[in-house]
């Protein structure tokens, strides 16, 4: 996949710069055209001449070193690239990108590029675990930057832990894998539900739940990035999403979600219900604000429609996936829902576990298909979980069950 690709390799200052020279060499050997940008600090560790010799291209370190008067170098390079890689990426360059700071050749070019950007961090283990670094990485991930996790092991600072720049061969294969599956959902029409529903009691009060919509939105984003045409039916959430392949339909109540999902169902290839739908709603919705009374009160509830079950009953060729938010015996209950609702697969999240379920940026899940095969997905960002779920779904759809 990297043959003939135009690759910008951004090198920031850390001892792992020596590994970046091996990366530049391997990429060039694979047939990629590589242009290297170095920070001043990176040039303290390995000279630009090393990268120039390995890539047979000039190396850029200074924003004002305009090699061609007809062009502005950092914009020209940003537009030229198919792919950008920052390896090693220090806490400093990660912070600059997360804050839109552009004060040297590397940061200005990375801010200007529209290419896919892969970031391979390398730093001391305590720096890597610092909340500021974690927050900056999350921010960048939300904006679509791809991270290649550092490895565990002996660090140049003397500590042992996470923070070693991933090996060049691994960086290349992670990018290769990502580029290959880039558009593997192209041509597919996907319907996704996200968020909570709100069931009104009166004009100012409602029943709802803790769903933030993050899991469903992550699925929509992952599917669109892989080329699918996505319809996202969402309950009330405060997330913004803008992607030309995502059509968003906002709903409030379980009934509105039922109507929208059923209306959109025909002609879809994959349908995923990540929404947390209310099982009950007030039997009576008061048209004016209910007055306080002395003593207790009782609100009578009635069942809402089970949207997923209704879709399972009218399913034709759609690959139908449910989610199950469980606290006790999650797999057992998940399997029960898979059968009862006629699903092709269910994603079970044990919402009692730290790092899983409602509101947070990460999830931990088990994907179970209708044959009963299970894949455990370890704690990862909701976007990463979404990507892994589409891998599972695609394999099951290709009659190559997991
Ligand atoms: O939004 P986040 O904060 O990111 O949190 C993500 C999540 C925890 C909400 C998500 O990962 C999740 O588990 N969603 C399903 C939650 C849920 O309602 O599970 P359930 O076990 O009650 O329902 C099982 C399935 O039936 C779900 O696919 C649900 O959408 C569907 N259902 C439920 C009730 C109903 N009336 N109609 C339905 O379609």
């Amino acid at each position: 996949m990297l043959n003939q690709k135009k690759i910008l390799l951004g090198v920031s200052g850390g001892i792992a710069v020596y590994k970046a020279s091996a990366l530049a060499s391997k990429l060039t050997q694979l047939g990629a055209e590589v242009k290297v940008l170095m920070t001043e600090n990176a040039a303290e560790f390995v000279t630009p001449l090393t990268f120039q010799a390995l890539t047979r291209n000039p190396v850029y370190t200074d924003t004002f070193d305009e090699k061609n008067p007809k062009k502005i170098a950092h914009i020209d390079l940003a537009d030229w690239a198919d792919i950008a890689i920052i390896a090693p990426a220090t806490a400093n360059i990660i912070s600059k990108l997360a804050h839109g700071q552009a004060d040297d050749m590397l940061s200005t070019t990375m801010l200007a590029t529209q290419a896919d950007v892969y970031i391979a961090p390398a730093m001391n283990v305590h720096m890597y675990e610092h909340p500021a670094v974690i927050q900056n990485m999350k921010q960048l991930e939300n904006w679509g930057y791809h991270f290649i996790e550092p490895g565990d092991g002996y660090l140049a600072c003397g500590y042992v832990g996470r923070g070693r720049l991933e090996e060049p061969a691994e960086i290349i294969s992670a990018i290769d894998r990502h580029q290959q599956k880039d558009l593997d959902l192209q041509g597919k029409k996907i319907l996704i539900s996200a968020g909570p529903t709100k069931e009104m009691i009166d004009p100012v009060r409602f029943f709802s739940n803790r769903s933030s919509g993050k899991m469903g939105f992550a699925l929509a984003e992952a599917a669109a990035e892989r080329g699918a045409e996505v319809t996202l039916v969402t309950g009330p959430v405060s997330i913004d999403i803008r992607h030309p392949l995502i059509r968003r339909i906002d709903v409030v109540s379980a009934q509105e979600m039922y109507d929208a999902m059923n209306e959109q169902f025909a002609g879809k290839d994959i349908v995923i219900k990540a929404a947390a739908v209310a099982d009950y709603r007030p039997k009576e919705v008061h048209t004016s604000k209910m007055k306080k009374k002395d003593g207790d009160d009782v609100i009578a509830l009635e069942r809402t429609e089970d949207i997923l079950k209704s879709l399972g009953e009218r399913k034709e060729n759609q690959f139908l996936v449910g989610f199950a938010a469980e606290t006790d015996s999650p797999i057992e209950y998940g399997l029960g829902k898979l059968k009862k609702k006629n699903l092709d697969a269910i994603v079970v999240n044990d919402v009692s576990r730290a790092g899983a379920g409602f509101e947070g940026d990460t999830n931990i899940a088990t994907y179970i298909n209708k044959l009963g095969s299970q894949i455990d997905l370890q704690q990862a960002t909701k976007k990463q979980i979404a990507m892994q779920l589409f891998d599972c779904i695609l394999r099951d759809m290709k009659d190559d069950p997991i």
Side-chain angles (χ1 to χ4, degrees):
M1 284 299 286
L2 300 182
N3 184 21
Q4 311 262 318
K5 289 275 186 208
K6 296 177 198 141
I7 299 182
L8 267 186
L9 175 59
V11 183
S12 60
I15 185 64
V17 172
Y18 79 94
K19 278 183 164 176
S21 56
L23 178 61
S25 168
K26 278 187 194 302
L27 288 167
T28 309
Q29 287 170 45
L30 284 170
E33 189 176 356
V34 182
K35 293 189 180 174
V36 176
L37 304 166
M38 298 179 81
T39 62
E40 275 178 22
N41 291 344
E44 294 285 330
F45 289 91
V46 172
T47 65
L49 187 60
T50 306
F51 287 97
Q52 182 178 306
L54 291 168
T55 62
R56 306 289 154 105
N57 272 318
V59 173
Y60 300 79
T61 49
D62 179 358
T63 327
F64 300 103
D65 175 20
E66 297 287 1
K67 296 182 196 305
N68 179 348
K70 293 204 172 90
K71 290 179 174 163
I72 297 167
H74 66 279
I75 302 297
D76 189 44
L77 282 169
D79 291 345
W80 168 84
D82 297 318
I83 294 171
I85 308 170
I86 308 179
T90 57
N92 189 39
I93 184 68
I94 289 171
S95 169
K96 281 188 190 180
L97 285 179
H99 291 89
Q101 197 180 332
D103 62 357
D104 62 9
M105 187 62 184
L106 177 57
S107 51
T108 44
T109 311
M110 290 298 161
L111 209 62
T113 191
Q114 305 245 301
D116 276 343
V117 181
Y118 296 88
I119 300 178
M123 63 193 79
N124 163 272
V125 59
H126 299 312
M127 289 171 81
Y128 188 65
E129 287 169 357
H130 193 284
V133 175
I134 292 173
Q135 193 170 318
N136 288 336
M137 291 195 294
K138 268 191 199 146
Q139 177 61 75
L140 291 173
E141 209 165 44
N142 286 340
W143 286 339
Y145 290 77
H146 313 285
F147 277 86
I148 298 166
E149 294 250 317
D152 280 308
Y154 177 79
L155 304 174
C157 54
Y159 280 97
V160 175
R162 180 157 284 211
R164 267 161 72 111
L165 179 69
E166 186 52 287
E167 294 306 317
E170 285 304 316
I171 294 178
I172 289 172
S173 83
I175 296 171
D176 205 35
R177 277 197 309 274
H178 187 264
Q179 291 284 311
Q180 273 186 45
K181 74 175 176 197
D182 235 14
L183 293 176
D184 58 0
L185 289 172
Q186 196 164 44
K188 297 259 184 283
K189 290 190 166 66
I190 302 187
L191 174 62
I192 295 169
S193 75
T197 61
K198 266 187 190 172
E199 309 303 328
M200 299 310 287
I201 301 167
D202 67 15
V204 296
R205 303 181 181 94
F206 55 81
F207 289 119
S208 191
N209 60 63
R210 287 174 47 206
S211 172
S212 62
K214 286 181 183 172
M215 189 66 240
F217 276 64
L219 284 159
E221 226 170 61
E225 276 175 22
R226 287 163 73 161
E229 213 177 285
V230 180
T231 306
L232 174 64
V233 175
T234 177
V237 295
S238 51
I239 313 179
D240 202 14
I241 199 163
R242 271 180 223 148
H243 192 290
L245 288 172
I246 301 177
R247 177 177 162 230
R248 173 177 177 158
I249 300 175
D250 286 283
V251 296
V252 177
S253 64
Q255 185 60 46
E256 284 175 21
M257 189 172 278
Y258 174 89
D259 293 341
M261 291 298 286
N262 271 284
E263 202 178 292
Q264 297 298 323
F265 191 61
K268 297 296 184 294
D269 300 293
I270 302 172
V271 178
I272 309 178
K273 278 225 73 234
V277 185
D279 290 317
Y280 295 92
R281 67 178 158 234
K283 220 167 179 166
E284 183 189 356
V285 182
H286 294 263
T287 49
S288 48
K289 188 180 168 196
M290 283 172 75
K291 293 284 174 242
K292 229 183 347 247
K293 291 188 246 166
D294 286 340
D296 299 339
D297 202 353
V298 172
I299 295 175
L301 299 176
E302 63 184 8
R303 286 296 299 267
T304 56
E305 294 270 9
D306 190 321
I307 306 168
L308 192 54
K309 192 156 173 276
S310 73
L311 301 177
E313 280 160 8
R314 57 175 285 220
K315 184 166 74 140
E316 291 164 337
N317 297 316
Q318 295 88 346
F319 191 93
L320 186 58
V321 184
F323 264 72
E326 304 290 349
T327 51
D328 309 299
S329 313
I331 301 297
E332 199 183 316
Y333 281 109
L335 275 168
K337 288 177 183 172
L338 175 89
K339 293 206 177 83
K340 195 171 130 207
K341 303 192 187 198
N342 191 25
L343 309 179
D344 294 287
I346 192 148
V347 182
V348 182
N349 29 205
D350 179 348
V351 293
S352 64
R353 291 178 72 181
F358 296 100
E359 295 167 311
D361 291 322
T362 64
N363 207 353
I364 307 166
T366 303
Y367 172 90
I368 311 175
N369 70 11
K370 65 178 174 199
L371 302 175
S373 300
Q374 295 182 17
I375 298 274
D376 287 325
L377 307 177
Q378 304 303 323
Q379 182 171 354
T381 63
K382 285 182 172 167
K383 182 75 170 290
Q384 288 163 341
I385 295 278
M387 286 290 183
Q388 294 175 55
L389 289 175
F390 281 116
D391 293 343
C392 296
I393 292 168
L394 276 180
R395 285 188 61 180
D396 276 344
M397 285 178 79
K398 280 184 193 138
D399 280 327
D400 178 18
I402 48 173

